[in-house]
Amino acid sequence: MIADYTEAAVCHVDDLADGQLKEVQVGDTDVLLARADGQFYALHPKCTHYQGPLAKGLLNGHRLVCPWHNACFDVRDGHRLEAPALNGLPTHEVRIENDQVFVRLTTNKESLENPMVTPDPTNGETYVIVGGGGAATFAAEGLREGGFTGKITVLTESQERPYDRPNCSKDYLQGEAPDEWMPLRTEEFYQDYGIDIRTNQRVASLDPTTKQIELASGETLTYDKALVCTGGQPNLLPDVDVNMQGVYTLRTLHDSQRLRELGQSGKRVVVVGSSFIGLEGAMSMHKLGCEVDVVSPEPVPFSKTLGEKIGRLMQGWHEKEGIRFHLGCKVAQVEGNDAVKAVLLDNGQRLPADLVLLGLGVHPKTDFLKSIPLEKDGGVKTDAYLKLADDLYAAGDIAHYPTPDGSERIEHWKVAGVQGYVAGLNMAGREQPYHEVPFFWTNQLGKRINYVGHADHFDDIIYDGDPQTDESFLAFYVQENQIKAAAGLKRDQDIIAIRELMQAGRMPSVDEVRQGVNWLDRLKEV
């Protein structure tokens, strides 16, 4: 009899120790082999987010973490544990014969989605999600994964179903990512799981005392439970008419599409602000063929977050490509009647411009909330379960959540996704506190810097490697004699290990870090 499957011996039992990963081949198929607690597992070798090489990631217990954006999977069944990946990993059968490990290709494509329930028509409850970003997507799936079978309605101002927002300032803006890459899920997916995505819906008010949501159209919805995850609204320049032809922000897919179309003709672009999005936008517009000037009051980009050394390094990457910086200055005036002609700086310099891109960060979009106290920055304060009020939850850019160091609010895609997922599970009846260590990444001219933890200020920075001379490095941010955050270039496994140690409350002391730590060995210690 001829076998109707493909199987191969891929290694000896003693070739892999616990915690090790190895990419092997079964026939013409690449497979990731992993060993945890003495058991072997075989999975798809690429992250389902951006196809990151998982063999270069890290295995901590049963947690398999991608090196690129720290998506996390359960190595035992391939299920997705953490954003930014939505899908899990296909798995294969493994058997041991004598001292050899055999893998049989048995990929089940249906295993890509975490197990979720389908709607029950007899369940009359309605849960509403206000917002259409990453937090909303993961929340809807968290509700179904948590067992909620009632009606799920997602209200988004966007014209599109939830999409990959981080790509709007990177490959998509550069014209290197097709439109079909951008949606997070297909329309069929939402139909299959009874998730009603209502686009072009602006919420005028939400009142937790009456559990009513009023839309700008005049329609009123009543909810049993709701999640608010409306994200951020771009900051604008005072006295500058954002409706002037040639003045743009970069927040939405529509923004990215419009800038991509305009940038292809080789315009003169002035980017106001040296934020991560601002410089990613500058990079992308330059790749489209534009002349780009960056204006910022900061003397060094990113110095408040990453420190001056790394800030100067990143500035140098952009300058090497021809992007010009005007630092320590502010915009005095945007010249032009109906359309932008130039940007006048407060030092008297005049920059000719066809387009002005505002990269000034965002503020929480919460003005529609009634009877909910707002924080100074416009955000809202939740408890450890991301609950905002009775039957009302919050997640993502707007949420101040409790940590051992006090309340924190983080603006990043992975954080929003994980918070949305936890909020969805809790709305479905789980009691799961949110206590994840933050992670974010930025891609500047093909170089990815990963950052873990949170330091709103720092007293010192400890470097492992020199950002000025080395191809790779780590930077540790010290606040009150504790390591509160770390950033790394080409140190992906170390960054994963640091985050896992932070998560477990096992970070080494400042003195130990100064002396040097082998992060992979430290993670293995019990």
Side-chain angles (χ1 to χ4, degrees):
M1 178 180 289
I2 300 175
D4 60 355
Y5 56 82
T6 303
E7 183 180 75
V10 293
C11 72
H12 294 282
V13 170
D14 294 336
D15 289 345
L16 253 67
D18 273 351
Q20 285 191 314
L21 302 167
K22 181 181 181 181
E23 193 164 309
V24 298
Q25 271 205 320
V26 180
D28 296 328
T29 302
D30 294 328
V31 173
L32 179 71
L33 193 66
R35 184 170 181 174
D37 293 338
Q39 298 292 314
F40 286 88
Y41 303 94
L43 309 98
H44 183 68
K46 303 292 185 184
C47 179
T48 55
H49 177 230
Y50 270 6
Q51 303 301 303
L54 293 173
K56 294 183 179 181
L58 200 63
L59 184 59
N60 180 29
H62 297 116
R63 289 169 53 83
L64 172 61
V65 186
C66 174
W68 288 1
H69 308 119
N70 280 208
C72 184
F73 307 90
D74 190 324
V75 76
R76 295 168 295 186
D77 53 23
H79 289 171
R80 179 260 302 140
L81 297 176
E82 291 182 14
L86 279 161
N87 283 331
L89 299 170
T91 59
H92 307 286
E93 288 184 10
V94 179
R95 67 180 179 87
I96 309 296
E97 186 174 313
N98 298 324
D99 68 339
Q100 288 192 309
V101 180
F102 287 82
V103 173
R104 178 182 297 183
L105 299 183
T106 53
T107 298
N108 178 4
K109 291 186 178 180
E110 293 181 357
S111 69
L112 289 175
E113 297 161 10
N114 282 13
M116 291 184 282
V117 299
T118 53
D120 179 356
T122 65
N123 186 335
E125 289 189 299
T126 297
Y127 289 4
V128 176
I129 297 171
V130 182
T137 302
F138 280 94
E141 299 193 24
L143 282 170
R144 291 293 187 231
E145 195 173 329
F148 176 66
T149 59
K151 183 178 181 180
I152 299 175
T153 300
V154 178
L155 303 173
T156 174
E157 284 190 27
S158 176
Q159 303 170 33
E160 299 87 8
R161 299 188 306 273
Y163 55 85
D164 183 8
R165 190 186 300 278
N167 213 336
C168 288
S169 60
K170 304 179 183 71
D171 288 353
Y172 186 78
L173 178 54
Q174 296 163 27
E176 296 178 2
D179 288 345
E180 55 265 27
W181 282 15
M182 299 302 283
L184 296 180
R185 291 293 196 191
T186 64
E187 188 172 355
E188 291 73 24
F189 173 89
Y190 296 119
Q191 290 173 352
D192 289 345
Y193 289 102
I195 300 168
D196 182 17
I197 308 289
R198 295 185 56 181
T199 58
N200 297 303
Q201 301 292 327
R202 186 173 71 82
V203 172
S205 68
L206 184 153
D207 189 340
T209 59
T210 61
K211 293 188 175 181
Q212 288 193 330
I213 296 171
E214 184 178 341
L215 303 181
S217 65
E219 181 184 356
T220 298
L221 287 75
T222 301
Y223 66 82
D224 292 287
K225 291 184 182 179
L227 169 68
V228 180
C229 50
T230 39
Q233 185 133 338
N235 295 325
L236 305 177
L237 272 176
D239 303 321
V240 172
D241 182 5
V242 74
N243 296 314
M244 179 188 292
Q245 184 180 334
V247 177
Y248 300 97
T249 57
L250 177 52
R251 178 67 179 173
T252 68
L253 183 62
H254 179 65
D255 293 339
S256 187
Q257 290 167 341
R258 185 168 50 178
L259 286 165
R260 185 174 63 178
E261 291 168 3
L262 293 169
Q264 288 174 340
S265 55
K267 300 287 181 66
R268 297 168 299 179
V269 179
V270 174
V271 177
V272 183
S274 56
S275 65
F276 289 107
I277 294 299
L279 285 198
E280 287 178 3
M283 162 191 75
S284 297
M285 297 302 287
H286 184 267
K287 285 190 175 183
L288 288 173
C290 297
E291 292 184 36
V292 180
D293 290 270
V294 176
V295 177
S296 175
E298 290 185 310
V300 179
F302 312 122
S303 58
K304 291 182 181 178
T305 305
L306 300 175
E308 288 194 8
K309 276 190 178 182
I310 298 177
R312 292 189 192 281
L313 173 69
M314 296 169 74
Q315 179 184 340
W317 294 343
H318 289 269
E319 289 176 330
K320 188 176 179 180
E321 296 299 315
I323 295 172
R324 299 179 292 263
F325 283 80
H326 309 269
L327 301 174
C329 354
K330 296 181 180 179
V331 173
Q333 183 182 352
V334 175
E335 297 180 350
N337 293 322
D338 296 327
V340 169
K341 298 296 182 184
V343 174
L344 183 65
L345 306 184
D346 60 359
N347 63 5
Q349 189 174 6
R350 185 176 183 274
L351 304 175
D354 302 300
L355 303 175
V356 173
L357 174 56
L358 302 181
L360 299 167
V362 300
H363 59 274
K365 193 173 185 177
T366 54
D367 56 352
F368 62 92
L369 290 172
K370 308 300 180 186
S371 307
I372 296 290
L374 301 182
E375 300 299 291
K376 289 182 179 179
D377 61 3
V380 292
K381 184 175 285 188
T382 75
D383 66 10
Y385 301 92
L386 301 175
K387 184 178 261 191
L388 186 57
D390 287 345
D391 297 324
L392 182 63
Y393 295 74
D397 293 3
I398 70 171
H400 288 260
Y401 61 94
T403 76
D405 295 322
S407 182
E408 290 180 0
R409 185 178 70 84
I410 306 294
E411 298 171 357
H412 204 273
W413 189 251
K414 177 180 172 72
V415 173
V418 176
Q419 285 186 356
Y421 177 64
V422 170
L425 291 176
N426 289 338
M427 290 170 72
R430 302 275 182 94
E431 290 291 326
Q432 181 172 324
Y434 176 81
H435 51 70
E436 298 295 317
V437 171
F439 170 92
F440 77 78
W441 75 88
T442 182
N443 189 317
Q444 305 284 338
L445 292 161
K447 299 177 177 68
R448 174 174 37 80
I449 288 186
N450 287 352
Y451 180 102
V452 294
H454 177 68
D456 53 12
H457 67 277
F458 42 85
D459 309 315
D460 193 12
I461 305 176
I462 303 169
Y463 293 97
D464 177 357
D466 187 344
Q468 304 300 318
T469 59
D470 295 346
E471 286 292 314
S472 66
F473 59 81
L474 290 171
F476 300 91
Y477 300 91
V478 182
Q479 183 179 312
E480 297 177 359
N481 204 35
Q482 292 184 52
I483 304 294
K484 292 296 185 182
L489 174 68
K490 297 183 181 179
R491 298 287 292 271
D492 295 340
Q493 288 188 328
D494 288 335
I495 285 289
I496 296 171
I498 291 164
R499 181 172 182 261
E500 295 290 302
L501 288 165
M502 285 182 174
Q503 193 73 45
R506 292 168 45 205
M507 271 296 287
S509 68
V510 170
D511 287 342
E512 288 179 285
V513 173
R514 290 189 192 280
Q515 293 166 12
V517 174
N518 184 313
W519 295 100
L520 303 187
D521 286 348
R522 177 58 68 96
L523 186 61
K524 295 174 185 175
E525 296 175 6
V526 178

